[in-house]
Every structure is written in structure tokens, then in C-alpha cells.
Amino acid sequence: MSTRTPLVAGNWKLNGSRESVASLAKAIADGMAGKSCEVLVCPTFVHLADVQSVLAGSSVLLGAQNCSVEQEGAYTGEVSSPMIKAFGAQYVIVGHSERRAMYAETSDLVAQKAQAVQQAGMQPIVCVGETLEQREAGQLQAVLDEQLDAVVNLLGIGSMAQCVIAYEPVWAIGTGRSASSEQAQEVHAMIRQKLAVLDAGVAQQVRILYGGSVKPDNAQELFMQPDIDGGLIGGAALKAESFLGICAAAV
Ligand code: 13P
């Protein structure tokens, strides 16, 4: 058994109104009262303040979905990691495949974002994962290497202990087609093995989450795998009942 604390994170993406997000956060906070699993919700930037106040006094943690690499200055439309931290956030998702694909984020930029998050005193959740085309072309390892090497080289292996990795196969995101627990475990083990070559202790410490069509009915089997330390949840995180069902599978 590993000593890593499971983490279940909800990535709310571009969803919700001020009202709906506050009531979702409240229902999750109430549902998690007295439970031991580490649970995180990541609303949009503009909802951080509302969700922060709803979560006050609860064990549910707050995070953001992206950040700038810059601290401050003439960068119209950007939000810096110190600004996010000021809302009590402890995590920031970086390098989600939607940002890599739709906003042309490179692995170098993602690494810089991860560094900015750590410099602000938070933990990055670095998303990695292959497309179906890449998997079928036998490029899985090469894709993971490219995405992870950028982060490990910039942060240094020692700092990877203060970093969460999320393996999110692109073909499983929002498709209803989760990776099987065997497929996911295989890749999580590859990622941990890759880190272990540099530092076995860090590799044992770093949490690796699985993301992609996690639902209450497949969560338990995924989370039982030795190298899967929780999940990064999209669609099923938008309803308290399904998200809490997934959290229950992590303890
Ligand atoms: P789904 O759970 O909707 O497949 O999304 C996963 C995801 O992208 C989490 O970041």
C-alpha cells in the first residue's frame, strides 16, 4: 500500500453561474463533512471568490484551471498565480489537453506555468496524455516523455514531490469512454517508473491522478490500482451526487 493521500479534483471547466456554482460547492462541502479523502474543486477565475466563501470552514480545497506565467504587468486578460493564491487556492491545473489543443500551449509553456504555481506556494496539477491517433501509432511513451521532460527539467526532480500529475488520455475526455483500469494503471506505472529513474523517493511520493470519463460506477476500480492516486473529474464533477459518489470511491 502506498502512503499517498488520494486526491479527487473536480475540473468545472467553463460551466456554471454564480448561483449554480455556489450551490454545487455547498452541496459538496456538506457531503464531504467528516470524510477523510482530499477533495478539490476548480471553478473559473470569476467564481473563485464565491466558492472560497462557500467552502470556508469545510475540508474541500480550492483550485484554478489555468494561470499566467507572468506575475504582473501589461498582459491583458491574464491572471497570475499570486492572484489565484490570494483566494485561498492551493492547486492550479496546468496543461489540460483542451488548453494544449485549443490555445496552442506547448510543453515548455506548461512547465513555466507549473513553476509559476510553485513559486506562488501552490501545487500544479500537470495534465499529460495522448490522443487516440498517437496511441495507435505507438507514440504513447514519446508523447509522455515530451510532456513530462519539459516539467521535470524546469522544476527539477526534487520539486516534483510538490506537483500532482494527471494522466488524461485525450480520447477518454468527455467521450464516455474511460480508459480501462488496466490501461490506466499501465500508463501510471510508466510515469512513476520514469520519475523513479531520477529519484525513487520522489516517484513514490508524487500523486498521479487519472482523468477521462470517470463516473461513480468506474471510479472504484480505477482508484484501486496501485499507481492511481485519485481522479481529475470533468462532467461528473458538475453534479454533487455523482462527484460525491466518486469521492466515496477514493477512501
Ligand atoms: P470528463 O470527466 O468529462 O471526461 O473530463 C475529464 C477532464 O478533462 C478533467 O480535467
Side-chain angles (χ1 to χ4, degrees), residues 11 13 93 96 98 127 168 172-175 211-215 232-236:
N11 174 8
K13 306 190 181 182
I93 298 168
H96 192 281
E98 287 153 11
C127 301
E168 298 206 307
I173 296 177
T175 57
S213 297
V214 180
K215 304 278 182 278
L232 182 55
I233 321 300

Side-chain angles (χ1 to χ4, degrees), residues 183-199:
Q183 279 175 321
Q185 165 58 26
E186 187 185 5
V187 179
H188 283 232
M190 276 167 61
I191 294 171
R192 204 177 301 285
Q193 183 50 40
K194 179 177 170 60
L195 297 175
V197 171
L198 299 170
D199 189 317

Side-chain angles (χ1 to χ4, degrees), residues 91-172:
Y91 293 90
V92 180
I93 298 168
V94 297
H96 192 281
S97 65
E98 287 153 11
R99 296 209 60 85
R100 291 178 191 261
M102 291 186 257
Y103 303 96
E105 291 197 2
T106 62
S107 294
D108 284 341
L109 182 75
V110 172
Q112 287 173 44
K113 289 186 176 194
Q115 187 176 51
V117 170
Q118 286 197 337
Q119 283 169 349
M122 300 179 290
Q123 286 204 32
I125 300 177
V126 178
C127 301
V128 298
E130 82 290 4
T131 63
L132 190 57
E133 232 181 3
Q134 290 166 332
R135 174 172 275 259
E136 287 176 346
Q139 293 166 352
L140 174 61
Q141 180 81 60
V143 169
L144 295 174
D145 284 348
E146 192 274 332
Q147 293 174 339
L148 285 168
D149 286 349
V151 177
V152 177
N153 291 340
L154 189 67
L155 266 51
I157 185 66
S159 296
M160 291 305 291
Q162 285 80 49
C163 180
V164 176
I165 295 170
Y167 170 57
E168 298 206 307
V170 178
W171 47 271

Side-chain angles (χ1 to χ4, degrees), residues 66-87:
N66 181 32
C67 70
S68 175
V69 297
E70 306 296 343
Q71 302 274 310
E72 62 176 0
Y75 303 101
T76 302
E78 292 290 275
V79 175
S80 72
S81 39
M83 289 172 182
I84 295 166
K85 167 91 160 129
F87 288 91

